[in-house]
Amino acid sequence: MPTISIPALALHMQADLDDNLLKVLRRSKVPIHYSCKQGECGSCKCVLESGAVELHGYKDTALPEVQRAQGLILACCSRIKGDVQLRLVDSDDYIVHPERHLVTTVIGLTELAPEVFSLRLKIRYVDREGEPFIFSAGQYAQLSVQTGPHTTIARDFSMASTPVEAEYDDELEFHIRRTPTGAFSGLLGRAVVLGSAVFVDGPMGSSHFRPRHEGALYAVAAGTGLAPMLSIAKTALDNGKLEPVVLYAGFKTPQEVYGRDELADLARRFANFRFHIVVEQGAHAGDRSGRVGDVLLGDPNSLDGSKVYLAGSPAMVEAVSAALIERGLPYGDVHADAFYAPRAVDEAAALGAPAAETEHVAAPRAEV
Ligand SMILES: Cc1cc2nc3c(=O)[nH]c(=O)nc-3n(C[C@H](O)[C@H](O)[C@H](O)COP(=O)(O)OP(=O)(O)OC[C@H]3O[C@@H](n4cnc5c(N)ncnc54)[C@H](O)[C@@H]3O)c2cc1C
Ligand code: FES
């Protein structure tokens, strides 16, 4: 039975041959970054100090050849082939909250813009009775809805609400773009209605607010990427952050714009908060015109000592992250969560699950 060791943390774990490395690390609550779980975002990078893993199914942009040659691997795409010794990257920066399995009830479903919904959930604690759900602003959770005796539809969504609202009010809010034929989002207003049950597993993701950082904070959102960016901006301001907090919210058309009142209210309450609504086509007077990343990069912002958080479409997140790093912002100061659509078969393989337990079709779960 292979052993996975992380000497810096004095950790030694048993694994099965061909186990998925990320799955083993998560099972042992190792504080590793991860996000997409399918070789696209590069968050789960770690250093293979010795031993053998088989890497499969990842994008070159997530692990360029030059990094692979330096011994970096992606845990989510690594099959264990023997004893392995690892080093985590930047382990000081990690905040790890225990993963919870919650049952919630829908208490709000309102349209924020055409086909973009705010979904509000009330938590009923079932896994650790009475223990609040703790997450860091910017993280996400997997929402699942049981649609039949043997089918559950699940997708990842970022919390738009703040950790404080979960801890003290037992409430979570998500912003979900509905596609009528979307397997999960198409359920909004049908299987997901006031009073229905939604399962929540999480929190997950490493693109979360870093409370100890003392420089300016830039939050860049495309579409519903505004959800985690709002959570981060509100948390930073409520925590008493004194440096500038600047939020860029990008949309394709003026009709898609939402969140304006909430952002304006934050700007009234906090002198160090500014925001820009950026619209690609037909921007109204007072809004910025263009693509959100281009506007951020074109503004005379000094990014020295700043952190930039990004969320939304993979195209925006990948392009702007790369441009920021090219401009000299350290890799560790760019925190990006791209809203990748799931690849069911690959993810099942990556996490070592049989195909029948993929995100799309899973064993039914008892409602409590
Ligand atoms: C870490 C993370 C966080 C996320 N956070 C959010 C969030 O806060 N808010 C949010 O809205 N999403 C978020 N997503 C994306 C979300 O998980 C889903 O991938 C997305 O909502 C699509 O699910 P679906 O049920 O609508 O479509 P699926 O059935 O999964 O369809 C897959 C893709 O096909 C497209 N599609 C389906 N039907 C059609 C059609 N008729 N015409 C054209 N395209 C079609 C869908 O738009 C989708 O892009 C996040 C993803 C990740 C990985
Ligand atoms: S590349 Fe492994 S979690 Fe995204």
Side-chain angles (χ1 to χ4, degrees):
M1 191 177 243
T3 302
I4 314 299
S5 318
I6 309 180
L9 301 178
L11 280 174
H12 304 278
M13 294 147 270
Q14 298 296 307
D16 287 325
L17 207 59
D18 287 329
D19 254 357
N20 176 271
L21 180 57
L22 180 62
K23 186 178 123 189
V24 172
L25 298 178
R26 287 177 60 195
R27 202 168 52 207
S28 302
K29 305 207 177 345
V30 172
I32 181 165
H33 269 300
Y34 64 90
S35 180
C36 70
K37 298 173 273 171
Q38 56 192 26
E40 300 196 49
C41 69
S43 308
C44 63
K45 237 168 249 174
C46 47
V47 182
L48 180 67
E49 291 192 317
S50 65
V53 300
E54 186 182 282
L55 276 162
H56 62 91
Y58 63 92
K59 269 190 176 175
D60 283 350
T61 46
L63 182 64
E65 191 51 46
V66 57
Q67 294 187 352
R68 196 172 162 185
Q70 290 164 350
L72 284 159
I73 56 169
L74 296 175
C76 71
C77 295
S78 297
R79 274 193 208 105
I80 295 164
K81 290 292 175 191
D83 289 348
V84 163
Q85 188 170 308
L86 295 175
R87 178 159 50 84
L88 300 185
V89 185
D90 282 344
S91 54
D92 282 354
D93 216 14
Y94 301 137
I95 295 174
V96 179
H97 304 297
E99 199 168 320
R100 303 288 298 274
H101 309 286
L102 310 171
V103 177
T104 70
T105 305
V106 177
I107 53 166
L109 184 63
T110 50
E111 204 165 14
L112 300 167
E115 297 302 318
V116 174
F117 289 83
S118 152
L119 175 69
R120 290 199 77 88
L121 304 175
K122 189 81 181 174
I123 302 171
R124 292 184 279 145
Y125 291 100
V126 290
D127 59 346
R128 302 174 194 200
E129 195 59 53
E131 257 188 61
F133 178 60
I134 310 272
F135 68 93
S136 290
Q139 287 195 293
Y140 68 94
Q142 187 183 70
L143 306 191
S144 4
V145 172
Q146 196 162 341
T147 50
H150 301 290
T151 48
T152 300
I153 308 289
R155 291 289 181 276
D156 296 332
F157 294 100
S158 309
M159 275 68 87
S161 43
T162 62
V164 170
E165 289 166 85
E167 198 173 340
Y168 293 98
D169 303 330
D170 297 335
E171 285 185 19
L172 297 171
E173 183 189 4
F174 299 88
H175 296 168
I176 301 183
R177 170 171 299 284
R178 181 171 70 179
T179 310
T181 49
F184 186 98
S185 69
L187 299 174
L188 296 182
R190 289 161 50 209
V192 178
V193 290
L194 284 184
S196 65
V198 175
F199 299 98
V200 176
D201 295 321
M204 292 181 256
S206 49
S207 178
H208 54 71
F209 174 53
R210 269 56 179 182
R212 289 195 303 270
H213 171 247
E214 288 183 346
L217 183 164
Y218 291 90
V220 187
T224 50
L226 184 55
M229 296 301 100
L230 257 181
S231 180
I232 285 178
K234 285 196 280 188
T235 301
L237 296 166
D238 286 342
N239 279 10
K241 186 171 178 64
L242 297 172
E243 302 83 8
V245 175
V246 187
L247 193 150
Y248 287 78
F251 301 93
K252 286 213 162 63
T253 64
Q255 293 72 34
E256 291 181 16
V257 174
Y258 74 93
R260 192 190 294 278
D261 291 348
E262 193 165 3
L263 292 168
D265 182 52
L266 282 179
R268 267 192 299 276
R269 288 171 43 219
F270 297 96
N272 58 330
F273 177 71
R274 281 183 292 126
F275 72 94
H276 304 275
I277 303 274
V278 185
V279 181
E280 271 184 56
Q281 302 147 17
H284 288 166
D287 292 341
R288 311 283 302 273
S289 179
R291 293 192 303 183
V292 68
D294 295 339
V295 170
L296 166 88
L297 295 165
D299 277 355
N301 297 316
S302 165
L303 297 175
D304 281 358
S306 305
K307 276 195 181 288
V308 182
Y309 298 86
L310 305 114
S313 67
M316 183 284 278
V317 168
E318 287 174 8
V320 180
S321 303
L324 289 166
I325 288 164
E326 201 168 298
R327 283 193 179 189
L329 202 64
Y331 177 74
D333 287 331
V334 180
H335 305 284
D337 232 344
F339 290 179
Y340 295 106
R343 294 188 319 209
V345 175
D346 290 0
E347 182 166 72
L351 293 180
E357 291 176 7
T358 66
E359 280 197 329
H360 291 288
V361 181
R365 302 169 57 165
E367 197 193 331
V368 184

